Amino acid sequence: MKRLFVLAAAATGLIAYAQPFPGAKPITLVVPFAAGGPTDRVARDLAKAMGKAMGDGANFVVENVNGAGGTIGATKVAKAAPDGHTLLIYHIGMASTPALYRKLQYKPLEDFEYLGLINEVPMMLIGKRQLRANNYRDFENHVRANAGKLNIAHAGLGSASHLCSLMWQSAIKADQAMATIPFGGTAPAMNALVGGQVDLMCDQTTNTTGQIEAGRVKAFAVTSAQRLSGNMLLKDYPTLQEMGLKGFNLTIWHGLYAPKGTPSAVLTQLNSVLKLALNDPDFIKKEEGLGALVVNDQRSDPAAHKAFVASEIAKLKPLIEAGGKFAD
């Protein structure tokens, strides 16, 4: 009887193993930041688009694992079972954290399977609405004239807003001109700016567009190489390059990752579903409405995605080290 029970259990296990991916188990997209932030918004729209593309009742859910500039959530996925049911959606922090953190619990280029790049998101330099400046030139002059009196908020060490603030302050040679105020996420940082408790912030258009449209903050410039001509609300704001910061070009991309060792067949299926989602008109419309550009080039392929991140790590490392901002 015991032998029959063992054989039956083994047979049941084989049947379960043979079930097509993903089966009845949901696929979790881990967002390594707080709910309501820009990466969370992208993840929730992507989860809907990927579920639609996979069909057959596939269930994609979003889990927020906030903390330490995204590294806690990334570590969770790096150590998750490599079965395709736990994925990571991470922004440029995948490339910046190796320089920002001395002791990462994972290696970005070694501990993940790369699935593809999702989008590129410009950033906006914004200020509280009480600021007297109404254009970028006046804004920069105001910053210089009030050295030591202003502060700039960001969503925590390693966040996109932190990286942008470092680069902008360095570009205008105002590293000591203002205090840097870290928050535990993009939402509380933005709330402080809207409430007038902080003066400045640089954040993704996916998070700033609604605040600009509602008149809760003032916008001064975009960080991309070209103006956002496709967005009716943001199209007239100048680039920082136009304002004299030559070579300033910062877009915050998002990519999708699985734990190292995930079966190749599962990775191929996930990449195919991701590409279908990236071509979903509803997903594209939502992203464009927030000033983001959905990736439609070779970087949606795993190998090109990984090569791109490697190049970003090499590009960002000297910029961050020059700023001298590190954490254990």
Side-chain angles (χ1 to χ4, degrees):
M1 180 65 70
K2 183 177 180 181
R3 176 180 172 81
L4 288 173
F5 177 80
V6 171
L7 289 173
T12 301
L14 288 172
I15 291 171
Y17 182 81
Q19 287 180 343
F21 176 80
K25 186 177 179 180
I27 297 173
T28 299
L29 298 186
V30 173
V31 175
F33 303 105
T39 302
D40 180 67
R41 294 181 185 184
V42 173
R44 292 182 188 279
D45 288 341
L46 184 69
K48 183 176 180 180
M50 289 186 73
K52 175 181 171 183
M54 185 168 276
D56 295 326
N59 185 20
F60 283 78
V61 298
V62 173
E63 179 185 0
N64 297 90
V65 183
N66 189 29
T71 62
I72 293 176
T75 299
K76 177 176 181 175
V77 176
K79 296 181 177 181
D83 57 10
H85 287 279
T86 305
L87 307 178
L88 172 69
I89 179 168
Y90 203 0
H91 62 28
I92 197 171
M94 195 69 164
S96 64
T97 50
L100 284 165
Y101 290 83
R102 293 187 177 94
K103 298 178 182 178
L104 276 182
Q105 296 187 50
Y106 59 88
K107 296 179 179 178
L109 296 176
E110 298 178 22
D111 294 338
F112 297 93
E113 304 287 355
Y114 282 61
L115 290 168
L117 214 62
I118 300 165
N119 67 4
E120 289 187 299
V121 186
M123 303 191 81
M124 296 289 299
L125 194 61
I126 57 178
K128 63 182 182 182
R129 62 180 180 274
Q130 294 90 343
L131 289 178
R132 292 184 179 180
N134 291 310
N135 58 63
Y136 178 79
R137 188 62 63 214
D138 290 344
F139 170 69
E140 187 177 311
N141 289 337
H142 179 72
V143 169
R144 295 183 186 282
N146 290 275
K149 299 178 183 178
L150 303 176
N151 54 51
I152 185 166
H154 65 76
L157 186 68
S159 64
S161 52
H162 177 229
L163 180 61
C164 184
S165 70
L166 283 177
M167 291 180 65
W168 177 68
Q169 290 179 79
S170 177
I172 67 170
K173 297 179 173 56
D175 305 65
Q176 308 302 320
M178 65 193 76
T180 299
I181 311 296
F183 287 83
T186 302
M190 181 63 76
N191 288 339
L193 184 68
V194 170
Q197 287 86 45
V198 294
D199 301 305
L200 318 173
M201 189 175 176
C202 183
D203 204 12
Q204 300 171 62
T205 56
T206 46
N207 196 48
T208 59
T209 301
Q211 305 293 351
I212 296 167
E213 186 172 24
R216 299 188 187 101
V217 299
K218 287 186 174 182
F220 299 105
V222 298
T223 66
S224 51
Q226 289 86 33
R227 291 195 183 199
L228 306 181
S229 57
N231 186 292
M232 293 303 294
L233 176 68
L234 307 178
K235 64 183 179 64
D236 293 327
Y237 289 101
T239 69
L240 288 173
Q241 289 197 59
E242 287 179 62
M243 294 293 99
L245 304 186
K246 295 186 182 299
F248 199 108
N249 180 17
L250 178 64
T251 56
I252 304 302
W253 43 265
H254 292 85
L256 192 64
Y257 311 86
K260 187 71 174 178
T262 301
S264 59
V266 172
L267 294 174
T268 298
Q269 185 177 351
L270 286 169
N271 176 255
S272 296
V273 171
L274 173 62
K275 287 183 175 180
L276 287 172
L278 297 181
N279 283 282
D280 184 311
D282 290 335
F283 179 71
I284 293 172
K285 184 178 180 179
K286 287 180 179 179
E287 293 298 289
E288 288 181 344
L290 295 170
L293 179 66
V294 175
V295 169
N296 62 358
D297 55 39
Q298 72 274 12
R299 292 173 301 168
S300 63
D301 292 322
H305 176 200
K306 188 172 185 178
F308 172 74
V309 173
S311 70
E312 289 285 279
I313 290 174
K315 179 180 80 174
L316 294 173
K317 187 173 186 290
L319 293 173
I320 293 168
E321 289 180 343
K325 308 291 184 180
F326 304 97
D328 291 334

